[in-house]
Amino acid sequence: MVLKTDILNIAAIDNHCHNLLRPDWVNNATYTTAFTEGNDAEILEYHAYHSLSFRRSVRDIANLLNCDATEESILETRQGLGIEKLTQKCFEQANLESIFLDDGFLPDYIFPWQWHQQFTKVYRLIRLEYLAEKFLNSTDNFDEFLDSFTSQIISTSPEVLGLKSIAAYRSGLIIEPIPKNTAKLRFQQIQQENKKQNICLTDKILIDFLLGVALDIAAEKKLPIQFHTGFGDRDLDLRFSNPLCLRQLLENPRWKEVTIILLHASYPYTKEAGYLAAVYPQVYLDCGLAIPSLSIQGMKRVLEELLELAPTTKILYSSDAHNIPELYYLGAKWGRYLLAEVLEEAVNNGDLNPKESLDIATAILQGNAKRIYSYPEN
Ligand SMILES: [Zn+2]
């Protein structure tokens, strides 16, 4: 019991999350948008209200805000507080040591990363596909495009601690080495086909090539790369976001020194992710999105499955919070609480002694992140 209290007091590093949406954009969406990966109106306006995690979250948020456990009451209370006070409340209760923001998600609708510094320490992750799109839309010269892309990764500012790829959403995780000439031809083809339109980078050849370029720089600069794996918005093909698809990349000697973080516990491929982390020194695991989006049993099972094979030095906490500050709170609350439960059971089962379980909780909540990213010493 004493042990559990100790674990509940450890400040967490949220190593993968997103900028908050500006209030005008939150008000345009249904509240369920932040709690489901679906985007169909029938899901958002009906079914999403009936998931276990939404039911639980409404009660959790009502407790935090001291209001009735109804959507109307929550919306009214958050409106009354305003975004700053609401965020302050959520972050304080979440007890966060720092957050690592991927600021390439909904870039036109979010607060800039600096805005979040009023609540906690903030670091950044560069979303590679978003970076590529910026230059894909600003030049039709391949060499210029490639120069801009690489120089942005090489000369990152000090708040950048890593890179992030959403290849799983675009073309899948079977990432193959692509010769530069092949990529150049494809670049020119894409430019021809999409004259004067906003190009969304979905082409597998170009994405694989750019990831190869980014991985080469990451190897040299010792920059970790987070890969979206497992479930997510419905534009991904779940078959190709299985982390086992990464085998070619993980086996390539050119990139074996690059630290790879598999996001979202690779849910539902959690055991597969655990296996990869157990055998590849460069592979690490993250529990975000699975926590806080699943049922309590589901979240607990994810932590158990990550811990059943993978070394505890390989697991990191995150929430994948996005859009609204409540998700930061819910992630930290359940991540910490269920980690304490799972570790307490490991002590009862004889897997760990109490001292080991406390050290492991500290490592998962902050120590592992401090070790694998170039985390600034205070
Ligand atoms: Zn994310």
Side-chain angles (χ1 to χ4, degrees):
M1 208 56 211
V2 173
L3 180 71
K4 213 165 187 176
T5 319
D6 287 341
I7 293 177
L8 294 177
N9 285 324
I10 301 170
I13 292 179
D14 195 335
N15 96 111
H16 176 83
C17 42
H18 301 271
N19 307 42
L20 298 181
L21 277 185
R22 296 196 307 268
D24 42 332
W25 290 100
V26 177
N27 298 339
N28 283 339
T30 70
Y31 197 50
T32 49
T33 309
F35 297 89
T36 172
E37 296 305 303
N39 58 4
D40 190 280
E42 190 183 327
I43 297 282
L44 290 171
E45 288 160 20
Y46 178 62
H47 297 293
Y49 284 101
H50 300 277
S51 73
L52 269 59
S53 70
F54 187 76
R55 295 283 161 153
R56 177 190 74 238
S57 299
V58 163
R59 281 190 296 277
D60 279 347
I61 294 164
N63 273 337
L64 176 74
L65 301 183
N66 207 7
C67 66
D68 291 340
T70 62
E71 188 188 5
E72 298 69 43
S73 176
I74 289 173
L75 291 180
E76 204 185 296
T77 311
R78 63 199 310 289
Q79 187 92 18
L81 281 169
I83 185 67
E84 268 95 3
K85 277 204 181 117
L86 174 68
T87 307
Q88 179 121 35
K89 215 178 208 346
C90 292
F91 275 49
E92 255 170 38
Q93 288 304 308
N95 186 16
L96 298 171
E97 136 110 23
S98 63
I99 59 176
F100 297 7
L101 291 177
D102 159 13
D103 53 0
F105 180 59
L106 303 176
D108 297 333
Y109 309 113
I110 52 176
F111 286 110
W113 68 270
Q114 295 93 334
W115 178 87
H116 302 73
Q117 287 176 310
Q118 60 188 302
F119 309 108
T120 185
K121 276 185 278 178
V122 182
Y123 301 100
R124 275 178 66 220
L125 306 158
I126 295 181
R127 185 187 282 229
L128 294 166
E129 291 78 6
Y130 172 60
L131 182 68
E133 275 165 0
K134 274 209 290 204
F135 301 120
L136 197 56
N137 284 300
S138 62
T139 176
D140 52 12
N141 178 307
F142 180 74
D143 294 321
E144 206 177 291
F145 163 75
L146 192 54
D147 264 8
S148 310
F149 178 77
T150 48
S151 64
Q152 287 278 314
I153 306 172
I154 291 169
S155 58
T156 49
S157 33
E159 82 278 1
V160 173
L161 296 189
L163 309 173
K164 147 93 187 273
S165 169
I166 54 160
Y169 276 108
R170 301 293 176 85
S171 49
L173 294 177
I174 303 177
I175 293 155
E176 294 153 309
I178 305 289
K180 189 171 169 184
N181 270 343
T182 313
K184 184 173 181 173
L185 276 175
R186 189 52 69 97
F187 174 89
Q188 285 157 347
Q189 243 171 20
I190 293 170
Q191 292 288 349
Q192 287 276 316
E193 287 162 11
N194 294 277
K195 278 230 147 60
K196 291 189 191 115
Q197 280 174 34
N198 249 354
I199 304 173
C200 173
L201 179 59
T202 54
D203 183 77
K204 179 161 169 27
I205 287 179
L206 199 51
I207 291 176
D208 285 7
F209 170 73
L210 293 171
L211 280 175
V213 169
L215 281 155
D216 287 342
I217 302 171
E220 218 177 286
K221 284 198 60 168
K222 303 212 172 312
L223 268 179
I225 304 190
Q226 301 183 348
F227 274 88
H228 176 108
T229 61
F231 74 140
D233 295 330
R234 101 179 221 205
D235 50 347
L236 70 74
D237 186 331
L238 195 58
R239 292 170 299 174
F240 300 110
S241 66
N242 184 330
L244 297 182
C245 292
L246 287 169
R247 179 170 168 82
Q248 262 200 71
L249 186 157
L250 298 175
E251 284 288 327
N252 192 323
R254 238 165 91 191
W255 302 323
K256 74 178 192 346
E257 302 290 327
V258 182
T259 296
I260 306 279
I261 299 109
L262 308 177
L263 297 176
H264 310 145
S266 303
Y267 181 88
Y269 308 113
T270 309
K271 291 189 180 199
E272 285 86 338
Y275 166 73
L276 292 175
V279 297
Y280 288 99
Q282 73 269 41
V283 172
Y284 290 81
L285 310 171
D286 165 279
C287 64
L289 193 60
I291 296 173
S293 306
L294 304 180
S295 68
I296 290 174
Q297 281 303 320
M299 294 190 287
K300 193 171 166 198
R301 212 171 301 129
V302 158
L303 287 173
E304 285 168 349
E305 285 185 358
L306 291 179
L307 280 161
E308 70 190 22
L309 180 63
T312 59
T313 41
K314 295 285 204 143
I315 301 168
L316 285 81
Y317 169 75
S318 90
S319 62
D320 198 24
H322 53 282
N323 296 12
I324 58 171
E326 291 93 311
L327 294 176
Y328 280 92
Y329 165 67
L330 296 171
K333 173 185 167 163
W334 288 105
R336 215 181 256 118
Y337 179 76
L338 293 171
L339 181 63
E341 282 232 327
V342 169
L343 292 173
E344 189 176 68
E345 276 165 31
V347 172
N348 293 339
N349 294 340
D351 279 331
L352 298 171
N353 68 33
K355 161 89 172 75
E356 285 168 335
S357 78
L358 185 58
D359 290 347
I360 288 166
T362 311
I364 292 175
L365 288 167
Q366 50 163 266
N368 291 340
K370 285 182 178 169
R371 200 181 71 247
I372 69 168
Y373 297 95
S374 303
Y375 195 80
E377 299 292 335
N378 311 312

